[in-house]
Amino acid sequence: MVQEANEQMLPTSLEEMSQKLSDISKRLEAANHMAERVQQRELEAQQNTQLQANMEKLKEDWAEFLKEQQRLKEEVDEEHTKAVGELSTRFSEKKKDLAQFSL
């Protein structure tokens, strides 16, 4: 019985052993290729996730930038309105002074 098992398990010739090693090598190469493809897909998925996170961060930064620009615009508009009011007042005063000197 042990001899029968050995005959089934052990290759009988060098040529048969070489053929089995060649088959095993081919299967290993195929398995390695599949593992590389899986790793590549995982890397691409990870990079895609990172890219999406970066895009979301950029969108948030852009929205914050626009809010800040709007706040600054309102501040400048307010200062402009105040300056125009002050200049109008001064102009009116100067116009009155000029009118008094003209008389």
mmCIF file of all heavy atoms in Angstrom, residues 9-49:
data_model
loop_
_atom_site.group_PDB
_atom_site.id
_atom_site.type_symbol
_atom_site.label_atom_id
_atom_site.label_comp_id
_atom_site.label_asym_id
_atom_site.label_seq_id
_atom_site.Cartn_x
_atom_site.Cartn_y
_atom_site.Cartn_z
ATOM 1 N N MET A 9 2.263 9.439 -5.784
ATOM 2 C CA MET A 9 2.712 10.744 -5.334
ATOM 3 C C MET A 9 4.039 11.168 -5.954
ATOM 4 O O MET A 9 4.218 12.322 -6.303
ATOM 5 C CB MET A 9 2.861 10.753 -3.802
ATOM 6 C CG MET A 9 1.566 10.496 -3.063
ATOM 7 S SD MET A 9 0.355 11.785 -3.324
ATOM 8 C CE MET A 9 0.990 13.050 -2.299
ATOM 9 N N LEU A 10 4.950 10.255 -6.037
ATOM 10 C CA LEU A 10 6.281 10.595 -6.509
ATOM 11 C C LEU A 10 6.378 10.425 -8.014
ATOM 12 O O LEU A 10 5.910 9.437 -8.570
ATOM 13 C CB LEU A 10 7.330 9.703 -5.829
ATOM 14 C CG LEU A 10 7.448 9.864 -4.317
ATOM 15 C CD1 LEU A 10 8.420 8.822 -3.763
ATOM 16 C CD2 LEU A 10 7.922 11.253 -3.946
ATOM 17 N N PRO A 11 6.972 11.385 -8.685
ATOM 18 C CA PRO A 11 7.135 11.240 -10.130
ATOM 19 C C PRO A 11 8.104 10.080 -10.427
ATOM 20 O O PRO A 11 9.044 9.827 -9.681
ATOM 21 C CB PRO A 11 7.729 12.562 -10.571
ATOM 22 C CG PRO A 11 8.088 13.305 -9.337
ATOM 23 C CD PRO A 11 7.479 12.617 -8.177
ATOM 24 N N THR A 12 7.837 9.414 -11.517
ATOM 25 C CA THR A 12 8.636 8.231 -11.841
ATOM 26 C C THR A 12 9.862 8.560 -12.649
ATOM 27 O O THR A 12 10.831 7.811 -12.639
ATOM 28 C CB THR A 12 7.776 7.194 -12.617
ATOM 29 O OG1 THR A 12 7.241 7.848 -13.760
ATOM 30 C CG2 THR A 12 6.684 6.653 -11.733
ATOM 31 N N SER A 13 9.852 9.697 -13.320
ATOM 32 C CA SER A 13 11.025 10.031 -14.122
ATOM 33 C C SER A 13 11.369 11.504 -13.979
ATOM 34 O O SER A 13 10.564 12.318 -13.519
ATOM 35 C CB SER A 13 10.742 9.706 -15.600
ATOM 36 O OG SER A 13 9.776 10.600 -16.103
ATOM 37 N N LEU A 14 12.557 11.800 -14.385
ATOM 38 C CA LEU A 14 13.022 13.184 -14.349
ATOM 39 C C LEU A 14 12.197 14.058 -15.287
ATOM 40 O O LEU A 14 11.884 15.199 -14.975
ATOM 41 C CB LEU A 14 14.510 13.214 -14.739
ATOM 42 C CG LEU A 14 15.221 14.529 -14.573
ATOM 43 C CD1 LEU A 14 15.169 14.993 -13.129
ATOM 44 C CD2 LEU A 14 16.662 14.400 -15.033
ATOM 45 N N GLU A 15 11.815 13.496 -16.401
ATOM 46 C CA GLU A 15 10.996 14.236 -17.374
ATOM 47 C C GLU A 15 9.629 14.580 -16.793
ATOM 48 O O GLU A 15 9.137 15.701 -16.940
ATOM 49 C CB GLU A 15 10.834 13.367 -18.632
ATOM 50 C CG GLU A 15 10.296 14.120 -19.823
ATOM 51 C CD GLU A 15 10.300 13.229 -21.064
ATOM 52 O OE1 GLU A 15 11.369 12.857 -21.547
ATOM 53 O OE2 GLU A 15 9.168 12.942 -21.512
ATOM 54 N N GLU A 16 9.033 13.634 -16.097
ATOM 55 C CA GLU A 16 7.723 13.871 -15.468
ATOM 56 C C GLU A 16 7.848 14.921 -14.366
ATOM 57 O O GLU A 16 6.999 15.808 -14.237
ATOM 58 C CB GLU A 16 7.194 12.556 -14.889
ATOM 59 C CG GLU A 16 5.783 12.655 -14.374
ATOM 60 C CD GLU A 16 5.306 11.306 -13.846
ATOM 61 O OE1 GLU A 16 5.740 10.259 -14.324
ATOM 62 O OE2 GLU A 16 4.471 11.359 -12.924
ATOM 63 N N MET A 17 8.935 14.841 -13.582
ATOM 64 C CA MET A 17 9.154 15.824 -12.530
ATOM 65 C C MET A 17 9.354 17.206 -13.137
ATOM 66 O O MET A 17 8.821 18.202 -12.640
ATOM 67 C CB MET A 17 10.374 15.442 -11.694
ATOM 68 C CG MET A 17 10.520 16.336 -10.498
ATOM 69 S SD MET A 17 11.798 15.943 -9.282
ATOM 70 C CE MET A 17 12.807 14.724 -9.954
ATOM 71 N N SER A 18 10.086 17.293 -14.207
ATOM 72 C CA SER A 18 10.321 18.560 -14.881
ATOM 73 C C SER A 18 9.011 19.139 -15.403
ATOM 74 O O SER A 18 8.763 20.344 -15.299
ATOM 75 C CB SER A 18 11.309 18.347 -16.023
ATOM 76 O OG SER A 18 11.493 19.534 -16.721
ATOM 77 N N GLN A 19 8.161 18.280 -15.955
ATOM 78 C CA GLN A 19 6.857 18.726 -16.469
ATOM 79 C C GLN A 19 5.991 19.262 -15.335
ATOM 80 O O GLN A 19 5.355 20.308 -15.459
ATOM 81 C CB GLN A 19 6.145 17.577 -17.190
ATOM 82 C CG GLN A 19 4.800 17.952 -17.777
ATOM 83 C CD GLN A 19 4.902 19.052 -18.836
ATOM 84 O OE1 GLN A 19 5.848 19.080 -19.617
ATOM 85 N NE2 GLN A 19 3.939 19.941 -18.850
ATOM 86 N N LYS A 20 5.975 18.553 -14.190
ATOM 87 C CA LYS A 20 5.169 19.016 -13.055
ATOM 88 C C LYS A 20 5.698 20.346 -12.522
ATOM 89 O O LYS A 20 4.929 21.236 -12.189
ATOM 90 C CB LYS A 20 5.157 17.949 -11.956
ATOM 91 C CG LYS A 20 4.284 16.770 -12.292
ATOM 92 C CD LYS A 20 4.157 15.821 -11.140
ATOM 93 C CE LYS A 20 3.219 14.677 -11.539
ATOM 94 N NZ LYS A 20 2.949 13.764 -10.449
ATOM 95 N N LEU A 21 7.022 20.484 -12.442
ATOM 96 C CA LEU A 21 7.602 21.745 -11.999
ATOM 97 C C LEU A 21 7.255 22.873 -12.964
ATOM 98 O O LEU A 21 6.973 24.006 -12.540
ATOM 99 C CB LEU A 21 9.119 21.626 -11.856
ATOM 100 C CG LEU A 21 9.605 20.913 -10.608
ATOM 101 C CD1 LEU A 21 11.125 20.746 -10.667
ATOM 102 C CD2 LEU A 21 9.211 21.668 -9.361
ATOM 103 N N SER A 22 7.258 22.588 -14.239
ATOM 104 C CA SER A 22 6.897 23.580 -15.238
ATOM 105 C C SER A 22 5.439 24.004 -15.063
ATOM 106 O O SER A 22 5.115 25.197 -15.120
ATOM 107 C CB SER A 22 7.120 23.014 -16.640
ATOM 108 O OG SER A 22 6.693 23.935 -17.615
ATOM 109 N N ASP A 23 4.553 23.024 -14.839
ATOM 110 C CA ASP A 23 3.137 23.338 -14.611
ATOM 111 C C ASP A 23 2.954 24.192 -13.363
ATOM 112 O O ASP A 23 2.195 25.167 -13.355
ATOM 113 C CB ASP A 23 2.319 22.047 -14.484
ATOM 114 C CG ASP A 23 2.221 21.271 -15.784
ATOM 115 O OD1 ASP A 23 2.508 21.863 -16.847
ATOM 116 O OD2 ASP A 23 1.852 20.072 -15.741
ATOM 117 N N ILE A 24 3.670 23.815 -12.298
ATOM 118 C CA ILE A 24 3.574 24.567 -11.047
ATOM 119 C C ILE A 24 4.081 25.990 -11.257
ATOM 120 O O ILE A 24 3.487 26.967 -10.786
ATOM 121 C CB ILE A 24 4.360 23.857 -9.923
ATOM 122 C CG1 ILE A 24 3.641 22.565 -9.522
ATOM 123 C CG2 ILE A 24 4.524 24.763 -8.713
ATOM 124 C CD1 ILE A 24 4.445 21.679 -8.606
ATOM 125 N N SER A 25 5.176 26.126 -11.997
ATOM 126 C CA SER A 25 5.737 27.444 -12.274
ATOM 127 C C SER A 25 4.751 28.308 -13.050
ATOM 128 O O SER A 25 4.571 29.497 -12.750
ATOM 129 C CB SER A 25 7.048 27.295 -13.047
ATOM 130 O OG SER A 25 7.556 28.543 -13.390
ATOM 131 N N LYS A 26 4.085 27.715 -14.029
ATOM 132 C CA LYS A 26 3.094 28.467 -14.823
ATOM 133 C C LYS A 26 1.921 28.909 -13.949
ATOM 134 O O LYS A 26 1.441 30.040 -14.066
ATOM 135 C CB LYS A 26 2.593 27.623 -15.986
ATOM 136 C CG LYS A 26 3.618 27.462 -17.085
ATOM 137 C CD LYS A 26 3.096 26.579 -18.193
ATOM 138 C CE LYS A 26 4.182 26.348 -19.237
ATOM 139 N NZ LYS A 26 3.751 25.422 -20.286
ATOM 140 N N ARG A 27 1.465 28.021 -13.073
ATOM 141 C CA ARG A 27 0.351 28.386 -12.184
ATOM 142 C C ARG A 27 0.774 29.488 -11.213
ATOM 143 O O ARG A 27 -0.002 30.396 -10.914
ATOM 144 C CB ARG A 27 -0.157 27.158 -11.431
ATOM 145 C CG ARG A 27 -0.896 26.194 -12.344
ATOM 146 C CD ARG A 27 -1.709 25.185 -11.585
ATOM 147 N NE ARG A 27 -0.978 24.585 -10.469
ATOM 148 C CZ ARG A 27 -0.966 23.305 -10.175
ATOM 149 N NH1 ARG A 27 -1.649 22.448 -10.910
ATOM 150 N NH2 ARG A 27 -0.305 22.852 -9.131
ATOM 151 N N LEU A 28 2.015 29.408 -10.735
ATOM 152 C CA LEU A 28 2.521 30.456 -9.850
ATOM 153 C C LEU A 28 2.604 31.796 -10.573
ATOM 154 O O LEU A 28 2.246 32.838 -10.016
ATOM 155 C CB LEU A 28 3.921 30.089 -9.345
ATOM 156 C CG LEU A 28 4.000 29.498 -7.947
ATOM 157 C CD1 LEU A 28 5.429 29.090 -7.628
ATOM 158 C CD2 LEU A 28 3.481 30.441 -6.912
ATOM 159 N N GLU A 29 3.068 31.797 -11.806
ATOM 160 C CA GLU A 29 3.129 33.025 -12.593
ATOM 161 C C GLU A 29 1.737 33.605 -12.795
ATOM 162 O O GLU A 29 1.539 34.826 -12.675
ATOM 163 C CB GLU A 29 3.792 32.754 -13.946
ATOM 164 C CG GLU A 29 5.282 32.560 -13.874
ATOM 165 C CD GLU A 29 5.900 32.249 -15.232
ATOM 166 O OE1 GLU A 29 5.273 32.566 -16.281
ATOM 167 O OE2 GLU A 29 7.010 31.702 -15.245
ATOM 168 N N ALA A 30 0.772 32.737 -13.088
ATOM 169 C CA ALA A 30 -0.609 33.207 -13.277
ATOM 170 C C ALA A 30 -1.157 33.786 -11.970
ATOM 171 O O ALA A 30 -1.805 34.844 -11.970
ATOM 172 C CB ALA A 30 -1.491 32.074 -13.775
ATOM 173 N N ALA A 31 -0.876 33.115 -10.855
ATOM 174 C CA ALA A 31 -1.344 33.606 -9.560
ATOM 175 C C ALA A 31 -0.678 34.942 -9.228
ATOM 176 O O ALA A 31 -1.339 35.866 -8.730
ATOM 177 C CB ALA A 31 -1.057 32.580 -8.468
ATOM 178 N N ASN A 32 0.601 35.059 -9.501
ATOM 179 C CA ASN A 32 1.304 36.337 -9.257
ATOM 180 C C ASN A 32 0.728 37.449 -10.120
ATOM 181 O O ASN A 32 0.547 38.576 -9.655
ATOM 182 C CB ASN A 32 2.804 36.187 -9.541
ATOM 183 C CG ASN A 32 3.544 35.516 -8.411
ATOM 184 O OD1 ASN A 32 3.088 35.515 -7.273
ATOM 185 N ND2 ASN A 32 4.692 34.924 -8.725
ATOM 186 N N HIS A 33 0.434 37.128 -11.372
ATOM 187 C CA HIS A 33 -0.148 38.128 -12.273
ATOM 188 C C HIS A 33 -1.502 38.596 -11.748
ATOM 189 O O HIS A 33 -1.800 39.801 -11.732
ATOM 190 C CB HIS A 33 -0.279 37.541 -13.684
ATOM 191 C CG HIS A 33 -0.840 38.496 -14.681
ATOM 192 N ND1 HIS A 33 -0.164 39.620 -15.090
ATOM 193 C CD2 HIS A 33 -2.034 38.513 -15.331
ATOM 194 C CE1 HIS A 33 -0.914 40.288 -15.954
ATOM 195 N NE2 HIS A 33 -2.057 39.629 -16.118
ATOM 196 N N MET A 34 -2.319 37.645 -11.299
ATOM 197 C CA MET A 34 -3.632 38.015 -10.752
ATOM 198 C C MET A 34 -3.467 38.848 -9.484
ATOM 199 O O MET A 34 -4.191 39.833 -9.283
ATOM 200 C CB MET A 34 -4.469 36.763 -10.471
ATOM 201 C CG MET A 34 -4.955 36.107 -11.742
ATOM 202 S SD MET A 34 -6.094 34.698 -11.583
ATOM 203 C CE MET A 34 -5.997 34.160 -9.945
ATOM 204 N N ALA A 35 -2.514 38.493 -8.626
ATOM 205 C CA ALA A 35 -2.287 39.253 -7.398
ATOM 206 C C ALA A 35 -1.830 40.681 -7.734
ATOM 207 O O ALA A 35 -2.268 41.644 -7.095
ATOM 208 C CB ALA A 35 -1.245 38.562 -6.529
ATOM 209 N N GLU A 36 -0.981 40.820 -8.733
ATOM 210 C CA GLU A 36 -0.533 42.155 -9.154
ATOM 211 C C GLU A 36 -1.701 42.981 -9.671
ATOM 212 O O GLU A 36 -1.792 44.184 -9.396
ATOM 213 C CB GLU A 36 0.546 42.040 -10.231
ATOM 214 C CG GLU A 36 1.884 41.566 -9.705
ATOM 215 C CD GLU A 36 2.891 41.308 -10.811
ATOM 216 O OE1 GLU A 36 2.573 41.537 -12.009
ATOM 217 O OE2 GLU A 36 4.011 40.871 -10.485
ATOM 218 N N ARG A 37 -2.585 42.346 -10.429
ATOM 219 C CA ARG A 37 -3.757 43.067 -10.935
ATOM 220 C C ARG A 37 -4.656 43.516 -9.795
ATOM 221 O O ARG A 37 -5.190 44.634 -9.805
ATOM 222 C CB ARG A 37 -4.528 42.193 -11.926
ATOM 223 C CG ARG A 37 -3.822 42.089 -13.254
ATOM 224 C CD ARG A 37 -4.513 41.235 -14.300
ATOM 225 N NE ARG A 37 -5.935 41.105 -14.184
ATOM 226 C CZ ARG A 37 -6.633 40.064 -14.643
ATOM 227 N NH1 ARG A 37 -6.014 39.078 -15.254
ATOM 228 N NH2 ARG A 37 -7.929 40.016 -14.518
ATOM 229 N N VAL A 38 -4.854 42.643 -8.808
ATOM 230 C CA VAL A 38 -5.680 43.012 -7.653
ATOM 231 C C VAL A 38 -5.032 44.180 -6.909
ATOM 232 O O VAL A 38 -5.712 45.148 -6.528
ATOM 233 C CB VAL A 38 -5.868 41.794 -6.710
ATOM 234 C CG1 VAL A 38 -6.446 42.223 -5.372
ATOM 235 C CG2 VAL A 38 -6.774 40.756 -7.366
ATOM 236 N N GLN A 39 -3.717 44.111 -6.705
ATOM 237 C CA GLN A 39 -3.018 45.201 -6.023
ATOM 238 C C GLN A 39 -3.132 46.498 -6.813
ATOM 239 O O GLN A 39 -3.321 47.570 -6.230
ATOM 240 C CB GLN A 39 -1.539 44.848 -5.822
ATOM 241 C CG GLN A 39 -1.308 43.803 -4.752
ATOM 242 C CD GLN A 39 0.154 43.404 -4.647
ATOM 243 O OE1 GLN A 39 0.918 43.540 -5.601
ATOM 244 N NE2 GLN A 39 0.539 42.905 -3.484
ATOM 245 N N GLN A 40 -3.018 46.403 -8.124
ATOM 246 C CA GLN A 40 -3.128 47.595 -8.962
ATOM 247 C C GLN A 40 -4.520 48.208 -8.850
ATOM 248 O O GLN A 40 -4.664 49.428 -8.727
ATOM 249 C CB GLN A 40 -2.822 47.245 -10.431
ATOM 250 C CG GLN A 40 -2.877 48.425 -11.368
ATOM 251 C CD GLN A 40 -1.818 49.476 -11.083
ATOM 252 O OE1 GLN A 40 -0.748 49.161 -10.580
ATOM 253 N NE2 GLN A 40 -2.127 50.724 -11.376
ATOM 254 N N ARG A 41 -5.539 47.364 -8.856
ATOM 255 C CA ARG A 41 -6.916 47.873 -8.719
ATOM 256 C C ARG A 41 -7.116 48.523 -7.357
ATOM 257 O O ARG A 41 -7.777 49.571 -7.247
ATOM 258 C CB ARG A 41 -7.911 46.742 -8.919
ATOM 259 C CG ARG A 41 -8.047 46.316 -10.355
ATOM 260 C CD ARG A 41 -9.123 45.262 -10.520
ATOM 261 N NE ARG A 41 -9.079 44.722 -11.860
ATOM 262 C CZ ARG A 41 -9.272 43.442 -12.154
ATOM 263 N NH1 ARG A 41 -9.533 42.581 -11.201
ATOM 264 N NH2 ARG A 41 -9.209 43.027 -13.398
ATOM 265 N N GLU A 42 -6.568 47.902 -6.308
ATOM 266 C CA GLU A 42 -6.688 48.488 -4.975
ATOM 267 C C GLU A 42 -5.978 49.833 -4.914
ATOM 268 O O GLU A 42 -6.490 50.784 -4.326
ATOM 269 C CB GLU A 42 -6.102 47.538 -3.928
ATOM 270 C CG GLU A 42 -6.948 46.311 -3.672
ATOM 271 C CD GLU A 42 -6.290 45.325 -2.713
ATOM 272 O OE1 GLU A 42 -5.111 45.523 -2.343
ATOM 273 O OE2 GLU A 42 -6.963 44.355 -2.343
ATOM 274 N N LEU A 43 -4.798 49.918 -5.528
ATOM 275 C CA LEU A 43 -4.059 51.175 -5.553
ATOM 276 C C LEU A 43 -4.843 52.241 -6.313
ATOM 277 O O LEU A 43 -4.952 53.387 -5.855
ATOM 278 C CB LEU A 43 -2.688 50.966 -6.195
ATOM 279 C CG LEU A 43 -1.804 52.208 -6.323
ATOM 280 C CD1 LEU A 43 -1.481 52.781 -4.936
ATOM 281 C CD2 LEU A 43 -0.531 51.875 -7.073
ATOM 282 N N GLU A 44 -5.414 51.877 -7.438
ATOM 283 C CA GLU A 44 -6.211 52.834 -8.217
ATOM 284 C C GLU A 44 -7.427 53.297 -7.429
ATOM 285 O O GLU A 44 -7.766 54.485 -7.442
ATOM 286 C CB GLU A 44 -6.636 52.209 -9.540
ATOM 287 C CG GLU A 44 -5.491 52.040 -10.527
ATOM 288 C CD GLU A 44 -5.871 51.222 -11.752
ATOM 289 O OE1 GLU A 44 -7.034 50.750 -11.838
ATOM 290 O OE2 GLU A 44 -5.002 51.044 -12.624
ATOM 291 N N ALA A 45 -8.076 52.357 -6.725
ATOM 292 C CA ALA A 45 -9.240 52.725 -5.916
ATOM 293 C C ALA A 45 -8.827 53.665 -4.791
ATOM 294 O O ALA A 45 -9.519 54.655 -4.510
ATOM 295 C CB ALA A 45 -9.902 51.467 -5.340
ATOM 296 N N GLN A 46 -7.683 53.375 -4.174
ATOM 297 C CA GLN A 46 -7.184 54.231 -3.098
ATOM 298 C C GLN A 46 -6.839 55.615 -3.629
ATOM 299 O O GLN A 46 -7.180 56.630 -3.018
ATOM 300 C CB GLN A 46 -5.958 53.589 -2.459
ATOM 301 C CG GLN A 46 -5.401 54.352 -1.280
ATOM 302 C CD GLN A 46 -4.160 53.686 -0.705
ATOM 303 O OE1 GLN A 46 -3.539 52.852 -1.334
ATOM 304 N NE2 GLN A 46 -3.808 54.080 0.494
ATOM 305 N N GLN A 47 -6.186 55.664 -4.787
ATOM 306 C CA GLN A 47 -5.837 56.956 -5.379
ATOM 307 C C GLN A 47 -7.100 57.722 -5.762
ATOM 308 O O GLN A 47 -7.166 58.939 -5.600
ATOM 309 C CB GLN A 47 -4.938 56.756 -6.598
ATOM 310 C CG GLN A 47 -3.546 56.302 -6.238
ATOM 311 C CD GLN A 47 -2.709 55.928 -7.453
ATOM 312 O OE1 GLN A 47 -3.247 55.659 -8.524
ATOM 313 N NE2 GLN A 47 -1.404 55.899 -7.286
ATOM 314 N N ASN A 48 -8.100 57.009 -6.280
ATOM 315 C CA ASN A 48 -9.357 57.652 -6.651
ATOM 316 C C ASN A 48 -10.044 58.226 -5.413
ATOM 317 O O ASN A 48 -10.565 59.346 -5.450
ATOM 318 C CB ASN A 48 -10.265 56.650 -7.368
ATOM 319 C CG ASN A 48 -11.470 57.317 -7.989
ATOM 320 O OD1 ASN A 48 -11.411 58.460 -8.394
ATOM 321 N ND2 ASN A 48 -12.565 56.596 -8.052
ATOM 322 N N THR A 49 -10.021 57.464 -4.325
ATOM 323 C CA THR A 49 -10.609 57.944 -3.075
ATOM 324 C C THR A 49 -9.870 59.184 -2.591
ATOM 325 O O THR A 49 -10.489 60.167 -2.171
ATOM 326 C CB THR A 49 -10.550 56.832 -2.000
ATOM 327 O OG1 THR A 49 -11.260 55.694 -2.481
ATOM 328 C CG2 THR A 49 -11.158 57.294 -0.696
#
